[in-house]
Amino acid sequence: MVVRELTGGIYFGEPRGESVMNGVETGINTEIYTRPEVERVARVAFDLARKRTRKVTSVDKSNVLESSVLWRRVVSEVGAKEYPDVSLSHMLVDNCAMQLIRNPRQFDVVVTTNLFGDILTDEASMITGSIGMLPSASIGGKVGLYEPIHGSAPDIAGRGSPTHWRWYFPSR
Amino acid sequence: MMLKYSFDMPAESAWIERAVARVLADGYRTGDIYREGEGKKVGTTEMGERVRDAVLKTSSER
C-alpha cells in the first residue's frame, strides 16, 4: 500500500510559473515540505502499518533534495517517538522504482511525497495487471474519500467496459 | 480497503476479497485483464453480479 502526500510538495509549492528571465524562457516549480505536513502523512502511514505487517518504507531523494533531508528526518523521529513497534526503513526513489519491479513483495506500506507517489503508484499498479484492480482513498483527518484509482470515467459509463466495478479490490 | 481501514470491519473486508479471488479463480475476466485463451471475458455488469453473488456465498461460510 502506498501512502502519497497529496496536498503539498512540488505540485503546490511557490514560487511557480513561467516567465522570461534574462531573455530565456523559464519554468519554475518548488518542492517544499514543512514539518507538520511530513508528520501528518507519516502518522497515516504508521497507523496503517499497525493494521498490516508493521513495516514502513519511506521513499525520498535525500541524496540531492533538502526537502527530502527534512522528510527523512521527520519520518524517522515520528517513527522512533510514537511508533517504536513499527519497523521503518528508507529508500531513494530511483532505487524504489527498480525494487518495485525486481521484488515488490519486500514492501508493505510505502510513504512518499506527492510527486514520487504520483509516479510510483502508477508503476506499482501494473504489477496487479490493471490499474483498475486498485482502490484508492483520499484521507484527511477523520474523513476518507474512497474511489477507483483511475477516476470514475463517466465517458464510458453504462457500456459495461472495465472500470466501474473494481473499486473494492484487494490492496495487494 | 474502506471496510478494513476506515470502518474496522476486517471480516466483511475479507468476504469481499475472497469473493473477488473466487470469481477470478473461476476464470472470469473483464477486458482489461483478459488474455486470449485464458478464462471467459465478461462485461462489468456481469462481473459485478458474480462478485456480489460470491460475497453472499462467502459471507455465509465460516
Side-chain angles (χ1 to χ4, degrees):
Chain A
M1 174 172 293
V2 181
V3 178
R4 165 188 171 190
E5 199 291 322
L6 207 54
T7 60
I10 197 166
Y11 293 174
F12 298 96
E14 301 281 349
R16 64 183 298 158
E18 276 196 273
S19 62
V20 178
M21 294 174 107
N22 301 322
V24 182
E25 283 181 278
T26 305
I28 297 178
N29 292 92
T30 302
E31 171 80 340
I32 179 167
Y33 274 108
T34 61
R35 171 175 282 273
E37 285 175 315
V38 181
E39 288 176 344
R40 183 179 59 183
V41 72
R43 288 188 185 111
V44 171
F46 283 120
D47 285 338
L48 282 171
R50 280 184 169 163
K51 290 191 176 181
R52 297 169 61 94
T53 62
R54 295 176 187 264
K55 181 179 167 188
V56 171
T57 307
S58 176
V59 174
D60 62 45
K61 188 69 178 171
S62 60
N63 57 339
V64 181
L65 302 175
E66 282 78 7
S67 58
S68 278
V69 173
L70 174 77
W71 178 281
R72 185 174 289 216
R73 190 171 70 243
V74 172
V75 172
S76 293
E77 284 177 18
V78 171
K81 276 184 203 156
E82 301 172 31
Y83 301 87
D85 54 312
V86 178
S87 86
L88 169 67
S89 59
H90 301 275
M91 189 177 283
L92 297 175
V93 63
D94 44 349
N95 184 31
C96 182
M98 288 194 295
Q99 296 299 328
L100 272 174
I101 303 297
R102 193 185 70 85
N103 177 20
R105 288 180 188 274
Q106 70 185 282
F107 299 102
D108 192 54
V109 174
V110 170
V111 60
T112 192
T113 67
N114 203 344
L115 172 66
F116 298 156
D118 191 358
I119 299 163
L120 291 177
T121 51
D122 275 35
E123 182 192 351
S125 76
M126 281 295 103
I127 297 165
T128 69
S130 166
I131 198 167
M133 304 289 282
L134 298 173
S136 78
S138 300
I139 308 289
K142 289 187 184 297
V143 177
L145 176 67
Y146 285 77
E147 59 188 329
I149 198 168
H150 47 66
S152 57
D155 53 319
I156 55 173
R159 279 202 239 154
S161 302
T163 184
H164 270 90
W165 65 281
R166 239 173 273 100
W167 51 272
Y168 40 64
F169 256 75
S171 50
R172 61 176 194 154
Chain B
M1 188 166 88
M2 182 168 65
L3 291 175
K4 183 172 178 183
Y5 295 108
S6 284
F7 299 155
D8 262 322
M9 298 168 72
E12 291 80 356
S13 170
W15 293 344
I16 296 176
E17 295 195 356
R18 258 184 279 137
V20 170
R22 175 178 291 192
V23 172
L24 291 175
D26 288 345
Y28 296 99
R29 299 284 186 275
T30 44
D32 57 327
I33 54 172
Y34 175 76
R35 276 192 293 192
E36 208 56 44
E38 273 181 35
K40 184 171 181 297
K41 190 171 170 182
V42 297
T44 51
T45 304
E46 182 179 342
M47 189 59 122
E49 286 164 0
R50 289 190 176 279
V51 172
R52 180 198 60 200
D53 294 346
V55 168
L56 292 174
K57 240 182 260 172
T58 54
S59 63
S60 60
E61 295 166 0
R62 275 311 311 262

